[in-house]
Amino acid sequence: MTLTKALPIALAGLLLGAAPVSEGFRSLEVPGFLPAVLFVPPGTAPRPLVVAAHGAGGSPEWDCEYWRRLTGGTRFLLCLRGKSMGASGGFYYPNEHALEAELVAAEKALRAAEPRVAAADGLYAGFSQGASMGSTMIGKHGTSFPTLVLQEGFQLWNIARARTFAENGGRRVLLVCGTEQCQRIATETTRWLKRGGIDSRLEYARGAGHTPLGEVLERTQAALPWLLQNAP
């Protein structure tokens, strides 16, 4: 897999809090849900998929730009919207069941629209709500998403959940934390993941805070080659 190597330049806008660019993205209608955001990589060959789920108050536009830059635009990106928070702005996922239903519906809509999406080697990436709620439901979707990035999630895994993920094709989980609470939960989670047959890695950016940016972002990027080894 080719990853962007110009992190300080390529992600400068994100690090400064600027709005993401929209070039290369489009809206994808998802039956029963608000539209997702889709990025289609150039070329004609099949490419693997990243599905991104944001935290409460986040947006799929921001998530898609974040992951486009981290993956160098080499993968399909499908960024889930969730429900509107109204006048306050942003979006959220009501619970893990709603997030799972949206994931399934959005992936189905994407594969119907884009036959180039590879059947295997998908990555599920969640931050905060997307990580915590994603942890409770993603195990049964290991065939489509054998690798996970869980940033600042607060859901403790157990052996049974890890084994379900492994039995469905799950391979590796990257946990990235910027807060002590996340680090405590993730440390125990890595033990249960390994006992359940899943290779896991914890990156702790001490003092970074509850954010996907700064050192959390840097540690995520540095660990992606480990997470995606042997992937196209």
Side-chain angles (χ1 to χ4, degrees):
M1 157 146 190
T2 301
L3 300 174
T4 179
K5 297 182 180 179
L7 177 64
I9 297 174
L11 287 167
L14 289 174
L15 291 170
L16 293 172
V21 299
S22 58
E23 182 180 355
F25 297 99
R26 71 172 190 254
S27 179
L28 177 72
E29 294 297 320
V30 180
F33 299 91
L34 295 176
V37 174
L38 171 64
F39 172 78
V40 178
T44 58
R47 300 305 306 162
L49 172 64
V50 175
V51 168
H54 54 70
S59 75
E61 290 83 4
W62 197 95
D63 260 19
C64 263
E65 180 64 10
Y66 183 93
W67 282 101
R68 182 185 69 83
R69 295 184 183 190
L70 276 178
T71 59
T74 61
R75 288 181 164 230
F76 282 91
L77 304 178
L78 178 62
C79 302
L80 307 178
R81 188 171 298 277
K83 290 185 174 292
S84 173
M85 297 180 73
S88 61
F91 301 87
Y92 75 104
Y93 308 107
N95 53 50
E96 66 271 23
H97 306 295
L99 175 58
E100 181 178 22
E102 186 170 352
L103 168 67
V104 171
E107 185 186 3
K108 182 178 180 181
L110 170 62
R111 292 188 182 278
E114 294 288 346
R116 276 206 301 131
V117 179
D121 294 312
L123 165 66
Y124 175 88
F127 168 71
S128 192
Q129 270 198 344
S132 297
M133 294 180 181
S135 292
T136 66
M137 61 83 180
I138 200 64
K140 68 184 75 170
H141 302 286
T143 300
S144 295
F145 304 102
T147 54
L148 312 178
V149 175
L150 304 174
Q151 298 172 316
E152 274 295 295
F154 303 104
Q155 179 65 40
L156 179 66
W157 284 58
N158 54 37
I159 296 176
R161 185 177 293 162
R163 285 177 176 165
T164 296
F165 186 48
E167 289 167 359
N168 284 289
R171 296 196 304 264
R172 299 184 193 93
V173 178
L174 171 64
L175 302 111
V176 190
C177 294
T179 61
E180 185 178 350
Q181 180 186 4
C182 172
Q183 186 268 341
R184 288 198 306 268
I185 294 170
T187 297
E188 188 171 354
T189 284
T190 59
R191 291 199 292 268
W192 305 139
L193 284 168
K194 289 177 181 178
R195 289 185 63 180
I198 298 297
D199 198 5
S200 64
R201 174 170 167 173
L202 168 60
E203 293 287 335
Y204 180 31
R206 185 185 300 273
H210 188 61
T211 175
L213 296 176
E215 191 178 351
V216 171
L217 182 154
E218 293 168 5
R219 286 178 174 266
T220 299
Q221 192 210 32
L224 281 180
W226 166 82
L227 183 73
L228 300 175
Q229 57 188 289
N230 303 321

